Amino acid sequence: MSMAARWLPYALLAAMATAADASPPGWRAPSAAELADPERKASTTAYARAVADYNGDGRDDTAVLLKRRHDGAQALWVHLSAADGAIWLKLAEIDLGDEHRDAPLIMAIDTAKPGVVAYGCFDGDDDCNFGFEAQRPKLRLKDPAINYYKFGSAASLFFWSRSRQKFLRVWLSD
């Protein structure tokens, strides 16, 4: 194993710790053990951090997977640039309970590039279409978006709606 490969997890944790210093109250960056899933090795951020201009204001925003300090909850947070600084927004949370306080992260994130995305349904819709991609509704992304998924399982996408000034979620798979 190269020296760079051995130091990568520590560099990742140091970068996440820097972000965690300003993380929302009660939340923390995941530990090395919580990022140990072999599938995470394919990403320099262990699929736990994604940076892009998600709201189209010309400034980078940071999406991170964080763990709640006092129990087993895991959540997707975005440190979003705003006119008067930056704000933290929690987009999704999974509460695994106290007995899973040290459980590995079960979700992953990365950045989706602008373009056309076939989706199944918007969050909250009762009628979803997870059939052939050509038959699904399409979404045209003007800005990057956040892929939020479990390896080999369900996937969704959070994108910034300029007209509503908030993130919306569509399901890519069930």
Side-chain angles (χ1 to χ4, degrees), residues 60-169:
D60 278 347
D61 308 299
T62 304
V64 290
L65 295 175
L66 299 175
K67 302 250 332 208
R68 193 162 37 217
R69 292 185 187 279
H70 68 275
D71 63 20
Q74 305 176 14
L76 168 58
W77 286 85
V78 176
H79 197 233
L80 190 71
S81 60
D84 57 351
I87 57 172
W88 282 104
L89 298 173
K90 182 170 52 170
L91 301 183
E93 181 177 331
I94 299 170
D95 191 349
L96 300 176
D98 288 340
E99 65 275 11
H100 299 287
R101 178 181 304 232
D102 299 320
L105 288 180
I106 59 173
M107 300 302 286
I109 59 173
D110 60 28
T111 300
K113 295 179 180 177
V116 177
V117 176
Y119 64 94
C121 58
F122 272 81
D123 201 27
D125 286 352
D126 292 330
D127 187 27
C128 295
N129 175 0
F130 293 111
F132 295 109
E133 187 172 322
Q135 298 169 340
R136 291 184 183 188
K138 306 293 188 285
L139 175 67
R140 183 173 303 281
L141 297 174
K142 293 181 182 177
D143 302 306
I146 304 163
N147 281 321
Y148 180 64
Y149 57 96
K150 185 173 181 180
F151 293 110
S153 187
S156 61
L157 182 92
F158 287 93
F159 68 95
W160 183 257
S161 168
R162 291 184 184 190
S163 63
R164 296 181 185 178
Q165 291 295 291
K166 67 179 188 175
F167 279 98
L168 300 178
R169 185 181 197 178

